[in-house]
Amino acid sequence: MNSPGRDNGDQSYGSFGEPDDDGIQVVVVPDDISALDAEVRAYRREMARARSRARWRAALTAPGRWAARFGRWLGRLCRYVLPW
């Protein structure tokens, strides 16, 4: 059996994240945190891409939001100006 945090080649302990008999996901944290560097870089790249996509989406949809806001403002104005 693997000791926690170590991969001795025996996958029965769940060192690769397989669920155990109760269906609980087993997570093994390595002793040397530098082993996670590649995963951390990939996560940060993914988050940077998501922020970039959100900024582009906000920039490209801004004219539509402004037009909708102006339409709501105009509708409220007409409610007070026009005698309907």
Side-chain angles (χ1 to χ4, degrees):
M1 176 187 265
N2 286 341
S3 41
R6 301 195 187 277
D7 181 14
N8 300 327
D10 180 19
Q11 297 181 15
S12 63
Y13 182 71
S15 60
F16 295 96
E18 300 94 11
D20 63 359
D21 294 336
D22 298 328
I24 298 172
Q25 190 77 18
V26 176
V27 178
V28 177
V29 178
D31 290 340
D32 183 14
I33 199 71
S34 65
L36 297 176
D37 283 343
E39 291 180 33
V40 169
R41 281 194 302 273
Y43 173 77
R44 288 181 178 164
R45 268 194 314 270
E46 182 181 333
M47 297 312 307
R49 285 182 190 138
R51 282 192 303 271
S52 176
R53 282 192 303 266
R55 281 194 303 269
W56 274 105
R57 187 177 304 117
L60 294 175
T61 60
R65 289 193 316 269
W66 295 336
R69 188 177 302 146
F70 178 71
R72 286 191 302 270
W73 175 80
L74 194 58
R76 282 189 231 112
L77 179 68
C78 289
R79 181 174 43 180
Y80 295 115
V81 174
L82 299 176
W84 293 340

